[in-house]
Amino acid sequence: MTDFLLELRSEEIPARMQAGARADLEKLFRKEMKDAGVSVGGITVYSTPRRLALIAKDLPVQTEAVREETKGPATSAPEQALEGFLRKTGLSKDQLEVRDIKGKDTYFAVVEKPGRAVKDVLAEAIPAIIRAFPWPKSQRWGAASLSPESLRWVRPLSGIVSILGDDLVECAVEGITSGRVTKGHRFHASGEITLSGADTYVETLRAAYVLVDHAERQDLIRSKAAEAASAAGLTLVEDEGLVIENAGLTEWPVPLLGRFDEDFLEVPPETIQLTARVNQKYFVCEKDGKLADAFVCTANIAAVDGGEGIVAGNRKVLAARLSDARFFWEQDRKTPLSKQAEKLGRITFHEKLGTVADKVERVAKLAEWLAAEGIVPDCDPALARKAAELCKADLVTEMVGEFPELQGLMGGYYARAEGLGDEIADAIRDHYKPVGAGDDVPTAPVSVAVALADKLDTLRSFFAIDEKPTGSKDPFALRRAALGVIRLITDNKLRFGVAEGDLLDFFADRLKVQQKEAGVRHDLIDAVFALGGEDDLVRLLARVHALQAFVQTDDGANLLAGYKRANNILKKEGFVANEVARTGDEDPMENVDDPDMTEVYAQRGRLSYTPEPAEQALMDALAAAAPKAVACVEAEDFAGAMAALASLRAPIDAFFNDVTVNDSDPAKRTERLGLLDRFRAAVHKVADFSRIEG
């Protein structure tokens, strides 16, 4: 057994592509080895901006010999069948074996493949891996790029190192031949470095100022950036995405602390952080919970001056960026949000739904209605309308034009600076929330009304023009909007009919997704939705939670089993409950007090036989439990409704144990099927148990 090293060196690989490239390299290597019958031990893949490297442990020196047998047609088969088999195997007729299979002579092709040197297998696999590499974006280069068949790589490929044990694996791709030579750090270690093999690869490059292990670089950036901030009496604002990106931009990372002009802190802190992060890849720092006038940049060199020159250069670049942000901040505040909102009529929201101004007007009306109807408690309708009318105004500001990620947030800052009040400013700031599963849900009344109205309008509008999500396609983020509505409603306990028709079904699907993460079974949501007419998500979830607690008890599990048995019997028999009275009345019970009808109802309540004890017990239990369950559901006491159903568990068990449903007496059979139908109907007052799994 021996180890193998593969290094593919190129010009800078974008940081965002490196994680995927590592996974793809391992996947392609494993496939090539599996296809060649080579067993592989552990595989480690590294990446830096200038190289991808793979180390495979415990490769055999030689593959095992393989004997392949392929069954062919019978010797009595038509000649065409034999010819086809020979073409498939590449053999001649005299190379075939004939064997007796169940009394019939049958051709067999037997091919013995001797073992191969793994070194030769690798020499074929490496070019195949390089040519098949699935970069998200790639390029051709040089004179060969004139041909569409030329090699594509993320950036020009410049070197291949491939060593098995101590031996060089010779191969070539597009004139790039493999060797033992690589390069170290671009500035610290100019010149070529000769590698001896996999076991010394990491340390040899470390000596050349290259940390090939991306995880090691990430740990170093994470710790040294925090140390640099702490040494200045500051706290680093953690940003894992920035850690990963800086590790993908450097081979020898050196975090350095710098300062910027304190006057820039008058700009909203999110603007400074976004400018530093997006444009410059800098971390920011805090002091006493507030943004500080400091940043941490990650150099790719250990400078002889301790990084002073690097920090000074980065400070100048950041100052220019922050000057732009401050200019936007000052210019935008010169125009009231109401004036900015007038420009929304120039922006098309959707060709079938009008402009953004049209959407804003719909949202304003809906937010005002949610407040006026008391659906959002303690919400001033006038404030809700005002906040909704201004919630999209920042879309036309200079700051949001430069940083679209700040929409809503900047509107809140501008509203506060304009003196519009905290309720309106907060509502504008938060009206996109919640954006994701981990995002905060607004709770202030005006904020809730505007955020809910915005999302409901989006959903209702796009469903009205039949622009619904299909499969994996959701161009208008309607699934995310529905999840946002669900969280706004459930977290704030808002009571109203959220939707109807297709949109209600869509909410049901999204609710299953959301509640699955909370540990709620999707089939229980189906069981409640199946009853129909339930569009109050708060009430629905209360019923679902009570149902889940019930079915997890012994009473619930046994009642479910009894229900399914009763339901299967009724289905098999095709039983349809009799009408109360076949008088032709729209409401057959409306004349129950008519003296002429007394005998009709009296006859219906009598049995033509004496019921068995278990049968009578189920009748009595149903007479008590059914109205109690209905009353509890109407009072939204769903735990009480489940308790009422639980009282049916013992009677239904005893009924099935002691009573013959399909009695030879037609009268008994009909009455007992009717009793099971009444049992099923009583259960359905709480949930459709036929939708429950188990």
Side-chain angles (χ1 to χ4, degrees), residues 189-271:
S190 59
E192 297 181 339
I193 300 168
T194 300
L195 298 170
S196 60
D199 56 340
T200 59
Y201 175 69
V202 172
E203 292 308 316
T204 299
L205 281 177
R206 187 190 303 275
Y209 291 89
V210 175
L211 300 178
V212 294
D213 187 346
H214 50 277
E216 182 182 358
R217 297 196 306 278
Q218 290 171 16
D219 289 342
L220 187 150
I221 292 169
R222 204 178 285 114
S223 62
K224 294 298 183 182
E227 287 177 15
S230 179
L234 305 172
T235 302
L236 188 78
V237 175
E238 295 182 1
D239 189 329
E240 189 61 20
L242 206 49
V243 168
I244 294 170
E245 187 168 13
N246 275 290
L249 294 169
T250 56
E251 291 194 316
W252 193 258
V254 180
L256 300 168
L257 180 81
R259 295 279 186 172
F260 58 83
D261 190 336
E262 191 174 358
D263 290 344
F264 286 123
L265 292 177
E266 69 182 44
V267 177
E270 295 86 353
T271 302

Side-chain angles (χ1 to χ4, degrees), residues 207-343:
Y209 291 89
V210 175
L211 300 178
V212 294
D213 187 346
H214 50 277
E216 182 182 358
R217 297 196 306 278
Q218 290 171 16
D219 289 342
L220 187 150
I221 292 169
R222 204 178 285 114
S223 62
K224 294 298 183 182
E227 287 177 15
S230 179
L234 305 172
T235 302
L236 188 78
V237 175
E238 295 182 1
D239 189 329
E240 189 61 20
L242 206 49
V243 168
I244 294 170
E245 187 168 13
N246 275 290
L249 294 169
T250 56
E251 291 194 316
W252 193 258
V254 180
L256 300 168
L257 180 81
R259 295 279 186 172
F260 58 83
D261 190 336
E262 191 174 358
D263 290 344
F264 286 123
L265 292 177
E266 69 182 44
V267 177
E270 295 86 353
T271 302
I272 296 175
Q273 184 170 1
L274 195 61
T275 299
R277 185 189 199 283
V278 173
N279 296 125
Q280 302 306 127
K281 319 304 178 192
Y282 299 162
F283 297 91
V284 295
C285 302
E286 290 181 341
K287 186 174 181 64
D288 299 328
K290 295 182 179 181
L291 191 69
D293 58 335
F295 65 93
V296 176
C297 60
T298 306
N300 189 32
I301 187 173
V304 293
D305 64 354
E308 289 183 11
I310 294 172
V311 169
N314 280 280
R315 183 188 299 118
K316 289 180 181 179
V317 175
L318 181 59
R321 295 284 188 182
L322 293 180
S323 293
D324 290 342
R326 181 164 59 184
F327 174 77
F328 296 149
W329 168 243
E330 292 172 350
Q331 288 299 112
D332 287 339
R333 283 186 298 159
K334 292 177 181 178
T335 305
L337 285 179
S338 58
K339 289 293 184 182
Q340 300 281 29
E342 293 174 5
K343 304 173 188 176

Side-chain angles (χ1 to χ4, degrees), residues 43-214:
I43 291 179
T44 304
V45 184
Y46 301 121
S47 66
T48 80
R50 302 174 67 202
R51 70 201 78 219
L52 282 175
L54 177 145
I55 294 177
K57 296 285 189 179
D58 301 327
L59 293 187
V61 177
Q62 193 90 1
T63 66
E64 295 182 1
V66 178
R67 177 185 173 90
E68 295 180 351
E69 295 187 359
T70 307
K71 181 182 177 184
T75 56
S76 58
E79 192 67 21
Q80 295 89 332
L82 177 60
E83 291 174 358
F85 183 63
L86 294 175
R87 283 195 301 272
K88 175 184 175 182
T89 59
L91 302 178
S92 60
K93 183 176 180 180
D94 57 358
Q95 291 177 297
L96 301 179
E97 293 183 8
V98 177
R99 299 178 187 175
D100 185 339
I101 302 296
K102 296 182 180 180
K104 182 183 292 186
D105 288 342
T106 304
Y107 288 116
F108 273 80
V110 180
V111 178
E112 295 190 0
K113 296 182 179 180
R116 295 180 65 199
V118 170
K119 183 177 174 181
D120 295 336
V121 172
L122 290 168
E124 295 176 2
I126 293 167
I129 289 171
I130 292 172
R131 292 188 180 281
F133 212 90
W135 291 106
K137 289 186 178 181
S138 58
Q139 67 178 73
R140 300 186 181 94
W141 63 93
S145 64
L146 295 174
S147 169
E149 302 302 319
S150 63
L151 177 66
R152 299 186 69 95
W153 201 248
V154 61
R155 296 290 186 271
L157 187 67
S158 56
I160 302 171
V161 173
S162 52
I163 303 171
L164 180 64
D166 297 325
D167 298 331
L168 175 67
V169 177
E170 297 182 2
C171 62
V173 181
E174 295 283 335
I176 304 169
T177 57
S178 62
R180 296 177 177 273
V181 175
T182 188
K183 292 184 178 180
H185 193 279
R186 190 185 294 276
F187 305 112
H188 284 307
S190 59
E192 297 181 339
I193 300 168
T194 300
L195 298 170
S196 60
D199 56 340
T200 59
Y201 175 69
V202 172
E203 292 308 316
T204 299
L205 281 177
R206 187 190 303 275
Y209 291 89
V210 175
L211 300 178
V212 294
D213 187 346
H214 50 277

